[in-house]
Amino acid sequence: MALWKIMYDSWQMECCGEPFSVGDEVSWPLLMLPSTARDAWTWQDCLTTLEAPDGTAGDGTTLVRGPGLVAIRTGEDRVGKGAELSGYLSVERHGGTIPGVSPSAGTVRSLHVVTQGYAVDPAGSGAYEAVPDERWLSPVDTCPKWFTKLAQPPAPRREGYRRVATGVLVGLATEESGRPS
């Protein structure tokens, strides 16, 4: 049995997801986001390395595999057959499928609501950016459908700062012998 850490973003759940609980069997299409897509220090405990057995396909997609798991690797990098790639696994409910490739299936072993600290971009754009090292995990038994009303850890009172529940971090157990097609 292999255990994977997979992020299920709040917007994916709120749009098209079905809440699930610890112990449930689930099946999802997955993406592997390059490690530059998330703050490497904050998310280092979620970094995954998978093999690209066939390398990059003609259409630019790269399928990566691990025991009982398959994901589509995003990014512009072309990779050769058998390359090992690192990144973060994420549920993709909006286009993360390739004909003939089954979603990854497994048993939910753990769930944590992820809260991230955000601050207004100091360059003056007015956009909020994730604050490095400001991630909180709160264990839950069932994934919420809606995240905006969840209680957040106390935040310092300062202008241009907020904390937001951004999804759930799922511990997913897969069968090593059950390689998806």
Side-chain angles (χ1 to χ4, degrees), residues 100-120:
V101 177
S102 300
S104 295
T107 304
V108 176
R109 294 289 183 220
S110 64
L111 280 172
H112 291 86
V113 171
V114 177
T115 299
Q116 177 71 51
Y118 289 89
V120 173

Side-chain angles (χ1 to χ4, degrees), residues 25-57:
E25 298 290 325
V26 296
S27 178
W28 300 315
L30 300 175
L31 286 181
M32 176 184 252
L33 305 171
S35 58
T36 56
R38 299 224 188 239
D39 172 51
W41 179 256
T42 304
W43 289 92
Q44 69 182 354
D45 60 325
C46 298
L47 189 64
T48 298
T49 299
L50 297 173
E51 181 186 0
D54 303 319
T56 304

